[in-house]
Amino acid sequence: MELAEYLEDVKAGKRIVAGSEAHQLMHRMAREAMELTKQINASCDQEEIRGLFSQLTGKPVDETFAIFPPFSADFGKNITVGPGVFLNAGCRFQDQGGITIGAGSLIGHNVVLATLNHEMDPRHRGDMHPAPIRVGERVWIGANATVCPGVTIGDGAVVAAGAVVTRDVPANTVVGGVPARRIRTIPEE
């Protein structure tokens, strides 16, 4: 299986069967991602980090993108970041299902973005269900938050530190808690 076919399959939400060609591709890509994130984590130079992040994702990142290592991704090729995105130290991206982060968004320390769920049937627990995470523009995700598969966070929203986001977050809304719930709306200027 080639990467393009895999990306089309996960975009369509197709189940990844344990041991399948798609699953084997995930393991090959994980090895490449580990090598590139090791290099990212060994650097303090943002220009070098941007170049390595571009290799990791397979697409160029804007010169305004910044990241404070350490960072980990277990696939890499299904991450898209807009200009002005900042990833703070300790972020962990499970991006097989797709992660898109809009322009000007800030991702806090130790944030986890997870795009895979395992099959509930114990006989097929190794199978996975991909679902993308979409983070809008000018979003702030606080330290130690976890965003679950299939969640969309609207433009201007804030996810409080430590929140576990299991549902979509409307634009200009603050959410917090486990599971995350609406705290308030941010007034538009």
Side-chain angles (χ1 to χ4, degrees), residues 170-181:
N172 299 310
T173 300
V174 179
V175 298
V178 179
R181 302 210 186 284

Side-chain angles (χ1 to χ4, degrees), residues 72-84:
S72 68
D74 57 6
F75 190 75
K77 297 294 189 259
N78 212 358
I79 300 171
T80 303
V81 295

Side-chain angles (χ1 to χ4, degrees), residues 70-140:
F71 170 79
S72 68
D74 57 6
F75 190 75
K77 297 294 189 259
N78 212 358
I79 300 171
T80 303
V81 295
V85 166
F86 173 67
L87 308 179
N88 217 325
C91 288
R92 294 175 304 283
F93 288 8
Q94 180 196 51
D95 65 292
Q96 289 90 339
I99 294 172
T100 303
I101 303 174
S105 289
L106 309 174
I107 312 299
H109 288 90
N110 301 315
V111 167
V112 173
L113 302 181
T115 65
L116 291 176
N117 271 323
H118 282 275
E119 174 61 41
M120 291 303 291
D121 180 343
R123 295 167 297 168
H124 301 282
R125 189 61 43 87
D127 294 0
M128 292 163 276
H129 300 275
I133 292 173
R134 294 177 185 89
V135 177
E137 295 184 357
R138 300 170 318 282
V139 169
W140 175 21

Side-chain angles (χ1 to χ4, degrees), residues 22 28 53 59 124 134 146 179:
R28 289 193 307 274
F53 199 86
K59 39 187 111 57
H124 301 282
R134 294 177 185 89
T146 298

